[in-house]
């Protein structure tokens, strides 16, 4: 038998598969790129290029509000679809294989972010909110935030002054700009590791990446988001993704292992009846330990001995990785926009000097029912994060029994198992919500009445629509649990930066 005869049957099978996916698949009625209809590797390819959000936006402009972005994947851009997909019906629109690399595959051991079971997710979410993220708990973290922000400002001022002196000595032009993004990475790591674990590390004053946390975090997030787009790859890698822990030549944990070690040390060497827990510095892990059973084992492996142990580990590790990445990206976006809009710098400074005696006491608008004392600052932050959402990606859901007809705009029942999503970036640029100037940076759009009587019913509805499309923290029962803590940090950093004297 010739090689051609051996290959021919496989070619026929491959061709038949392509014809089925393009013309006869249940999703064949939805438009999209040809390669996307044939393989999920198309989604992985554009993700690795780094411009997935722009490509998704272009696809919606070309094909409409529903785009087929994979053999079994649909992307939506309408607000009604966004509300439905990320609404309260998490049983019929549930998390799927995309989240396999976000934590342990066992729902009892996974973080609330990665937990698929609706009942377990609800219980974990309540446990996080009612122990570590209550208004009282958030206020206890405020001094930690302010102290680290002041350290950051002091170090940044010294850095800028030193660089300016060196430039003058070399007879170069005076320092006009500085790349602040890496410094914000270190600020958020130092600040949030202190808030989460109660441990102090001098990331801000270090010239290198302590524990290789920044580089390893970027690799892990890139791996998890990328491989999650190809279900069989996600399933394969989920078997051994983080089993290999990493240590330096002196035996110190580095990268992801350092975060695991921090959580294990706090969790398994403490007992809720011991004074050492009660006397711990205020932190998220302290609040967790005070309300749940812990272990008194002296086992050096420090393996979890209860579901609560796994809960404490998974939640704090998830916060340490996802929280630091998104907060650093958000701060970089806001400061970038401030650098481009000096007039807004002046307006925000004047507002802070007039309306607040201490910038660190500004509450996030999410938890503050009263009108904010700094509407200009908060409008600027809102618009900066809308233009530059920290995670400009689609967070996928799967159609479960009963959800086949839930999403508005579909042409018929979607098969159970179909992956559906909205790209956060696309929703944040929704013309439906923000008008024809959705692509423009206009903080004043958040100042237009906001429900005042002279704004009218139409204006109030417009405001509600804009808030609804502000997808930075997602929405519904699966929305970001740390949004109030994140906003507190953003308000504190930006207000302190705005009111600090120039070096």
């Amino acid at each position: 038998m010739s090689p051609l005869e051996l290959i021919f049957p496989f070619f026929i099978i491959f061709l038949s598969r392509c014809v089925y996916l393009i013309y006869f698949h249940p999703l064949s009625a939805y438009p999209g790129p040809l390669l996307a209809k044939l393989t999920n590797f198309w989604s992985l390819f554009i993700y690795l290029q780094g411009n997935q959000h722009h490509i998704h936006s272009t696809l919606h402009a070309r094909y409409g509000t529903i785009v087929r972005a994979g053999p079994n994947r649909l992307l939506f851009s309408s607000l009604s679809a966004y509300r439905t997909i990320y609404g309260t019906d998490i049983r019929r629109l549930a998390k799927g294989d995309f989240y396999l690399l976000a934590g342990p595959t066992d729902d009892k051991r996974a973080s609330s972010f990665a937990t698929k079971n609706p009942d377990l997710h609800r219980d974990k979410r309540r446990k996080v909110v009612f122990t570590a993220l209550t208004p009282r708990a958030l206020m206890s973290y405020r001094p930690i935030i302010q102290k680290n922000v002041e350290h950051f400002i002091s170090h940044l001022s010294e850095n800028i002054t030193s660089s300016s002196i060196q430039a003058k000595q070399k007879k170069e032009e005076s320092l006009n700009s500085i790349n602040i993004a890496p410094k914000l990475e270190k600020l958020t790591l130092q600040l949030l590791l202190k808030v989460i674990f109660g441990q102090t590390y001098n990331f801000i004053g270090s010239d290198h990446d302590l524990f290789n946390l920044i580089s390893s975090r970027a690799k892990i997030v890139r791996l998890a988001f990328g491989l999650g787009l190809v279900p069989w790859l996600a399933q394969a890698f989920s078997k051994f993704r983080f089993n290999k822990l990493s240590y330096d030549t002196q035996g110190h944990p580095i990268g992801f292992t350092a975060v695991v070690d921090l959580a294990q040390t706090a969790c398994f060497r403490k007992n809720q009846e011991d004074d050492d827990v009660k006397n711990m510095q205020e932190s998220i892990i302290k609040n967790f330990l005070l309300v749940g059973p812990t272990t008194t084992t002296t086992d050096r492996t420090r393996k979890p001995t209860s579901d609560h142990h796994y809960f404490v580990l998974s939640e704090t590790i998830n916060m340490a990785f996802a929280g630091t990445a998104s907060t650093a990206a958000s701060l970089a976006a806001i400061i970038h926009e401030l650098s481009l809009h000096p007039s807004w710098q002046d307006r925000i400074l004047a507002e802070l000097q007039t309306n607040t005696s201490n910038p660190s006491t500004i509450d996030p608008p999410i938890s503050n029912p009263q009108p904010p004392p700094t509407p200009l600052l908060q409008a600027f932050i809102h618009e900066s994060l809308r233009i530059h959402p920290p995670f400009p990606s689609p967070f996928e859901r799967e159609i479960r029994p009963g959800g086949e007809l839930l999403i508005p705009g579909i042409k018929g029942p979607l098969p159970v198992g179909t992956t559906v999503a909205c790209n956060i970036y696309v929703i944040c640029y929704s013309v439906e919500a923000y008008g024809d100037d959705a692509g423009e940076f206009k903080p004043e759009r958040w100042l237009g009445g906001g429900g005042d009587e002279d704004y009218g019913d139409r204006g109030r509805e417009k405001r509600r629509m804009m808030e609804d499309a502000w997808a930075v923290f997602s929405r519904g029962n699966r929305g970001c649990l740390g949004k109030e803590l994140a906003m507190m940090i953003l308000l504190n950093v930006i207000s302190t930066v705005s009111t600090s004297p120039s070096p």
Side-chain angles (χ1 to χ4, degrees):
M1 184 177 290
S2 66
L4 184 60
E5 290 176 318
L6 288 173
I7 296 173
F8 185 73
F10 294 100
F11 174 75
I12 294 299
I13 293 173
F14 172 75
L15 185 61
S16 300
R17 174 69 175 169
C18 290
V19 170
Y20 166 75
L21 289 174
I22 296 172
Y23 297 106
F24 300 103
H25 189 277
L27 302 184
S28 60
Y30 298 97
L34 179 61
L35 283 177
K37 298 177 181 180
L38 299 176
T39 175
N40 285 312
F41 279 102
W42 177 85
S43 291
L44 176 59
F45 175 73
I46 66 168
Y47 171 78
L48 294 176
Q49 282 186 312
N51 61 345
Q52 172 188 243
H53 52 303
H54 290 301
I55 292 176
H56 285 173
S57 181
T58 302
L59 290 177
H60 282 296
R62 178 178 178 182
Y63 294 113
T65 59
I66 306 178
V67 175
R68 189 178 176 192
N72 201 40
R73 179 183 288 115
L74 293 179
L75 294 177
F76 295 80
S77 65
S78 69
L79 290 185
S80 57
Y82 170 67
R83 295 187 189 104
T84 301
I85 294 172
Y86 302 99
T88 58
D89 201 336
I90 60 176
R91 296 183 184 275
R92 295 185 289 179
L93 288 164
K95 289 189 172 183
D97 290 343
F98 179 76
Y99 297 87
L100 282 173
L101 295 175
T105 54
D106 182 354
D107 271 353
K108 290 184 178 180
R109 302 181 179 185
S111 69
S112 56
F113 175 76
T115 299
K116 299 178 185 178
N117 182 281
D119 296 324
L120 285 175
H121 172 266
R122 181 192 63 240
D123 293 343
K124 290 180 181 181
R125 186 180 179 90
R126 288 176 177 173
K127 192 181 293 186
V128 172
V129 172
F130 294 136
T131 57
L133 297 175
T134 63
R136 181 177 180 180
L138 289 172
M139 293 304 103
S140 72
Y141 308 145
R142 176 180 278 166
I144 301 172
I145 296 171
Q146 182 62 17
K147 182 178 180 179
N148 282 276
V149 172
E150 290 173 353
H151 179 197
F152 171 75
I153 296 297
S154 175
H155 181 78
L156 183 63
S157 297
E158 292 175 3
N159 198 309
I160 293 174
T161 301
S162 175
S163 298
S164 298
I165 293 173
Q166 291 177 8
K168 290 179 180 179
Q169 291 175 344
K170 295 179 180 179
K171 297 182 179 181
E172 297 175 351
E173 294 184 6
S174 59
L175 187 67
N176 293 319
S177 63
I178 185 171
N179 183 8
I180 200 173
K183 300 181 184 299
L184 293 173
E185 292 262 17
K186 293 180 178 180
L187 165 64
T188 53
L189 271 172
Q190 179 169 315
L191 189 159
L192 281 172
L193 289 185
K194 181 69 173 179
V195 169
I196 296 169
F197 299 111
Q199 298 290 325
T200 302
Y201 295 97
N202 189 17
F203 286 91
I204 294 173
S206 175
D207 293 329
H208 61 280
D209 181 7
L210 289 182
F211 311 118
N212 292 329
L213 269 181
I214 296 176
S215 58
S216 65
R217 182 189 62 191
K219 292 176 182 177
I220 289 173
V221 171
R222 188 172 177 83
L223 176 72
F225 271 80
L227 296 183
L229 296 169
V230 185
W232 66 268
L233 276 180
Q235 292 170 3
F237 273 81
S238 68
K239 306 297 183 183
F240 56 87
R241 59 194 179 283
F242 299 136
N243 290 344
K244 184 178 180 181
L245 301 180
S246 302
Y247 300 87
D248 61 17
T249 54
Q250 297 179 331
H252 300 139
I254 58 174
F256 179 80
T257 308
V259 177
V260 174
D261 186 73
L262 273 175
Q264 287 179 330
T265 300
C267 185
F268 302 125
R269 291 182 182 173
K270 312 292 183 182
N271 183 277
Q272 70 174 40
E273 300 299 327
D274 292 344
D275 288 338
D276 57 354
V277 170
K278 297 176 183 178
N279 294 330
M280 286 173 65
Q281 291 188 346
E282 290 300 324
S283 62
I284 287 174
I285 204 166
K286 174 185 177 180
N287 288 318
F288 284 154
L289 293 174
L290 287 174
V291 299
T294 54
T295 181
T296 55
T297 180
T298 57
D299 183 359
R300 289 180 61 85
T301 61
R302 291 180 289 167
K303 293 182 178 179
T305 58
S306 72
D307 288 344
H308 186 69
H309 297 164
Y310 281 113
F311 165 77
V312 174
L313 276 177
S314 60
E315 292 298 337
T316 53
I317 291 171
N318 178 65
M319 289 178 183
F321 268 81
T324 54
S326 58
T327 305
S330 298
L331 286 171
I334 299 165
I335 292 176
H336 168 71
E337 290 297 343
L338 276 172
S339 70
L340 297 178
H341 300 87
S343 62
W344 273 92
Q345 294 181 37
D346 297 336
R347 294 176 66 184
I348 290 172
L349 175 59
E351 178 182 69
L352 289 168
Q353 291 174 334
T354 302
N355 297 342
T356 61
S357 58
N358 184 355
S360 69
T361 62
I362 302 174
D363 289 330
I366 298 171
S367 62
N368 183 10
Q370 301 300 321
T374 54
L376 294 177
L377 172 61
Q378 301 200 38
F380 195 92
I381 290 176
H382 252 64
E383 186 71 352
S384 297
L385 298 186
R386 183 187 75 82
I387 293 292
H388 308 284
F391 283 117
S393 302
F395 290 86
E396 298 182 350
R397 301 290 185 265
E398 284 186 5
I399 300 293
R400 299 291 171 83
E404 297 90 338
L405 291 168
L406 279 180
I407 304 176
I410 58 176
K411 299 179 179 180
L414 298 178
V416 172
T418 300
T419 297
V420 295
C422 299
N423 190 303
I424 299 302
Y425 177 88
V426 172
I427 298 300
C428 284
Y429 279 73
S430 170
V431 174
E432 181 183 356
Y434 299 107
D436 293 335
D437 60 353
E440 300 177 30
F441 182 81
K442 289 187 174 182
E444 57 270 20
R445 74 173 79 245
W446 300 99
L447 301 171
D452 294 339
E453 292 182 3
D454 60 349
Y455 203 44
D457 292 338
R458 184 178 178 183
R460 286 193 291 272
E461 178 59 31
K462 178 66 175 178
R463 173 75 183 207
R464 282 193 293 268
M465 187 177 292
M466 289 197 305
E467 292 283 4
D468 205 23
W470 196 69
V472 174
F473 295 111
S474 190
R475 73 189 308 274
N477 292 339
R478 294 286 191 175
C480 176
L481 283 172
K483 57 189 176 184
E484 294 192 31
L485 176 60
M487 285 301 297
M488 179 182 291
I489 293 172
L490 297 181
L491 286 164
N492 191 301
V493 174
I494 301 305
S495 59
T496 304
V497 167
S498 299
T499 55
S500 297
S502 300

